[in-house]
Amino acid sequence: MVADVGAGTGKLTGALLERGLRVEAVEPDVRMLDVLRRVHPRARTHNAGAEEIPLGDTSVDAVLAADAWHWFPFEQAVAQTRRVLRPGGWLGLVWSMAAPIEPWEKELAAVDPSYAPPPEEGADDEGPFPAEETETATFRWVWRTTPGDWCSYLETLSVFVLMPARERGERLRRAHALVSGACRAAGSATAPVHHQAVCVRWRPGCP
């Protein structure tokens, strides 16, 4: 059993369920949690934050967070993670972000107001956890997407879920136009959008 903390609208939750895992989805925003419940009814859901995970002591094998850990109050989140993890369990964090190369990709990335350029490889960053307890990895990948699939993805992001409807519509139309233009230029039904995933796994030692 795993906990998806800061689960948002359930992008990671869905991937975990597909792997046959039991998922406890923890999300403080009820609007996003409503979306998650509708899309992933098999997940157990909790309207709560990382500072007070509503699960029992030593109850999960892993605590996971996708594009969310930086929002959590660090000390409380670490204490709660230690509390709910079973012996040998671990915390897994991932930040997946656009890593645009072509000019149109940079315009597309800017459609998402939460976008920030990925860190340069080799950047000096010791991280928040003891080095001897931590593993890190960076993966580059390419999503070949249609205009419709890209817009559907944007609609799952918390910043789009929460923004005013008029602004959301304008940004989605801009994204659709950019991906459509790239598809036409390539003579293809899909366009390549470059990404980078930064992953961290922490196996807690003694507090």
Side-chain angles (χ1 to χ4, degrees):
M1 186 167 67
V2 300
D4 180 7
V5 181
T9 55
K11 288 185 294 179
L12 177 59
T13 295
L16 297 170
L17 290 169
E18 288 175 1
R19 296 180 68 86
L21 299 173
R22 293 173 55 198
V23 182
E24 304 282 345
V26 181
E27 169 54 46
D29 190 286
V30 69
R31 291 168 293 181
M32 288 190 281
L33 196 60
D34 284 344
V35 175
L36 188 153
R37 286 170 173 149
R38 185 171 66 251
V39 177
H40 304 298
R42 288 189 293 130
R44 289 189 59 189
T45 58
H46 309 270
N47 185 205
E51 67 275 14
E52 194 170 347
I53 300 174
L55 301 174
D57 296 354
T58 63
S59 60
V60 297
D61 299 292
V63 173
L64 306 172
D67 299 308
W69 183 263
H70 54 286
W71 295 113
F72 303 160
F74 181 78
E75 297 298 335
Q76 296 99 311
V78 167
Q80 286 291 294
T81 296
R82 286 186 179 276
R83 182 183 64 79
V84 302
L85 281 176
R86 292 171 179 156
W90 46 271
L91 170 69
L93 309 176
V94 61
W95 289 267
S96 185
M97 61 204 80
I101 296 175
E102 300 297 333
W104 74 267
E105 290 182 88
K106 295 177 182 178
E107 290 186 61
L108 183 66
V111 171
D112 175 5
S114 65
Y115 170 73
E120 295 183 8
E121 287 194 43
D124 184 19
D125 183 5
E126 295 183 356
F129 306 110
E132 66 274 14
E133 298 175 357
T134 308
E135 302 168 68
T136 62
T138 299
F139 304 93
R140 295 185 179 276
W141 59 285
V142 176
W143 179 8
R144 298 203 63 91
T145 183
T146 66
D149 284 346
W150 187 261
C151 289
S152 294
Y153 152 71
L154 289 178
E155 288 183 290
T156 69
L157 300 181
S158 58
V159 67
F160 276 81
V161 171
L162 302 177
M163 73 173 49
R166 181 175 179 178
E167 180 185 357
R168 181 167 58 247
E170 291 173 351
R171 288 181 180 273
L172 291 173
R173 285 189 291 272
R174 177 61 176 157
H176 195 283
L178 285 165
V179 180
S180 295
C183 290
R184 287 194 300 271
S188 171
T190 62
V193 182
H194 294 82
H195 284 72
Q196 176 175 304
V198 178
C199 305
V200 177
R201 177 160 58 184
W202 174 50
R203 299 181 185 274
C206 296

